[in-house]
Amino acid sequence: MSEMMTGAEMVVRALQDQGVEHLFGYPGGAVLPIYDALFHQEKVKHVLVRHEQGAVHAAEGYARSSGKVGCVLVTSGPGATNAVTGLTDALLDSIPVVVITGQVPTHLIGSDAFQECDTVGITRSCTKHNYLVKSIADLPRILHEAFYVAANGRPGPVVVDVPKDIQFAKGEYTRPRDNQHKTYRPVVKGDMDKIRAAVDLIAKAKKPVFYTGGGVVNSGPHASALLRELARLTGYPVTSTLMGLGAFPAADRQWLGMLGMHGTYEANLAMHDCDVMINIGARFDDRITGRLDAFSPRSKKIHVDIDPSSINKNVKIDIGIIGDCAHVLEDMVRVWRETSPQVDKAALKSWWEEIDGWRARNSLGYKGSSEIIKPQYAIQRLYELTKDRDTYITTEVGQHQMWAAQYFHFQEPNRWMTSGGLGTMGYGLPAAIGVQMKHPKSLVIDIAGEASILMNMQEMSTAVQYRLPVKIFILNNEYMGMVRQWQELLHGGRYSESYSASLPDFVKLAEAYGGHGIRCSNPADLDDAIREMIDTPKPVIFDCLVAKEENCFPMIPSGKAHNEMILNDFEGDTGEIIDAKGKQLV
């Protein structure tokens, strides 16, 4: 049944019909008709951010933690251009987001009108798809189609650019029975012949490894459960990209830890020396592969990915399976159970013994201190004091992000929100706001650096306005830590512009926003301070003063291979050495 309504009313009705509960946005002249339509309803709750970049990151956090499409509304011109960083972030990390932008009236497009920009042109390279609505008759179809495109296949951001005269125009609104795109019909079921060939190759492996990525998480909880089942059936080791953390439980003995530039010694050497690699939902990113001509040189490679363009894009594949991770894993498990292949148990035992030898290197070990808080220790204590709670973690970008990935042990998917592909400083706080809006009773913590947090600190005001008790846990070393580390190791210790001078008093800053501030510099006081942060029923900025020049290891230098890692060197140390789980070794 169709109804007559304005374009602005169509936008709001489409959001309601898609089950949208929260809309992150910032008003402006080109979207005022839509904001007026929002005023007359109560189903969709608008969340007023302080910057449009923050709106998209909040929508990303909302989407990642819930599996739903995140939604954004911004005005034309600077409103749209401010959203570009968030759009690019969502594209690279495969996050489903629909961004509705205002545009000048159609007769003014191309005239350099006030707050006009070529939104479709600007966002073409940083969206999965985008639309410029030229007719009120097309608006209902486009709005619903946008949600389909964002959520199906490899998820990603979609922009719908709506001129102001289209918002005022009246037309018929009908919710389409089928909101699929006419030509975009992604394949979700994998080719069964290739799946059987993959299972046969997996069964014959002597030194196998499962290499898993964000695609497993994006595919939903069932995919994670199937991954765990397949790992149990085979007994094979599992590693993960930064984006895939939580798809396989970190407490499991088959877990090798994170892979890549700051991955564990055992994960990277297993990838380098394996004879069969089973890539499920990862895209062979350069931070994972290192030097391509030396990447896993002796392995047969299986790649499962819903995006056909990812197959053979960066690394030559032996068996490429196009399909959704959950569907392909389900078929792999079924074929494995039906055929009951005989794994070479002696070879697998020898492979695990080799892996255990690498594990004994304790690549995540660090020298402890009773005088200053080591950043690794701070993350370990944060994990121990929150692991039994309903906890979600977001991060900014830098050393603190890698330490969080290494020392916060994720047991479930959708609990870890970080900027992987784009590496966006300023991501964590607005993302935490999005997570907290969706999960109001959960503990949401943004693990931050003192430099990154200042990128979108204005969103603290959003957190206070909506009474969102997000916790900002700053590892404050007074440096742009990862930049300083690279300058130390690769540029002769010339710290060009990487020192964070003129930092604010974060405790006073929290209080200025109406939140709560905590500062801690003594390891003996850390647990009590973390408990205070957790128990405070309002936004908190925790200024954790940590060792200033601590480096994040292990590390594969740029352009090097997995077997060319830089590790912590404890030779000659007389103090206690702490392992990845916080246990004293020496």
Side-chain angles (χ1 to χ4, degrees), residues 474-494:
I474 301 173
L475 300 183
N476 186 349
N477 58 14
E478 298 183 358
Y479 279 104
M480 298 171 205
M482 193 60 80
V483 174
R484 183 209 59 77
Q485 177 169 331
W486 280 50
Q487 288 174 334
E488 176 188 330
L489 299 177
L490 306 175
H491 296 278
R494 294 179 292 277

Side-chain angles (χ1 to χ4, degrees), residues 229-247:
E229 185 176 358
L230 186 57
R232 292 285 175 276
L233 289 170
T234 60
Y236 293 173
V238 182
T239 182
S240 167
T241 66
L242 179 74
M243 299 304 297
L245 294 178

Side-chain angles (χ1 to χ4, degrees), residues 373-505:
I373 298 173
K374 289 297 185 79
Q376 303 95 321
Y377 178 74
I379 300 298
Q380 286 176 330
R381 297 315 304 157
L382 183 67
Y383 171 71
E384 289 297 329
L385 293 168
T386 61
K387 66 181 181 180
D388 295 326
R389 294 173 177 265
D390 184 27
T391 304
Y392 293 82
I393 298 294
T394 71
T395 77
E396 307 296 333
V397 169
Q399 284 179 319
H400 62 274
Q401 176 191 28
M402 294 299 106
W403 281 316
Q406 291 171 335
Y407 296 95
F408 203 102
H409 309 296
F410 295 93
Q411 313 302 335
E412 302 174 53
N414 303 106
R415 299 292 173 142
W416 164 249
M417 276 61 66
T418 195
S419 175
L422 193 61
T424 307
M425 295 173 71
Y427 168 88
L429 175 54
I433 286 170
V435 175
Q436 193 79 80
M437 285 300 302
K438 180 59 183 172
H439 308 278
K441 296 182 179 180
S442 300
L443 176 62
V444 182
I445 304 171
D446 171 27
I447 297 176
E450 83 291 334
S452 277
I453 193 62
L454 294 176
M455 288 280 189
N456 273 317
M457 177 54 80
Q458 76 282 343
E459 299 307 328
M460 184 71 174
S461 183
T462 303
V464 171
Q465 176 180 342
Y466 293 94
R467 297 179 176 86
L468 302 173
V470 296
K471 318 302 182 189
I472 304 169
F473 190 74
I474 301 173
L475 300 183
N476 186 349
N477 58 14
E478 298 183 358
Y479 279 104
M480 298 171 205
M482 193 60 80
V483 174
R484 183 209 59 77
Q485 177 169 331
W486 280 50
Q487 288 174 334
E488 176 188 330
L489 299 177
L490 306 175
H491 296 278
R494 294 179 292 277
Y495 300 151
S496 177
E497 302 299 326
S498 58
Y499 189 80
S500 297
S502 301
L503 287 170
D505 182 324

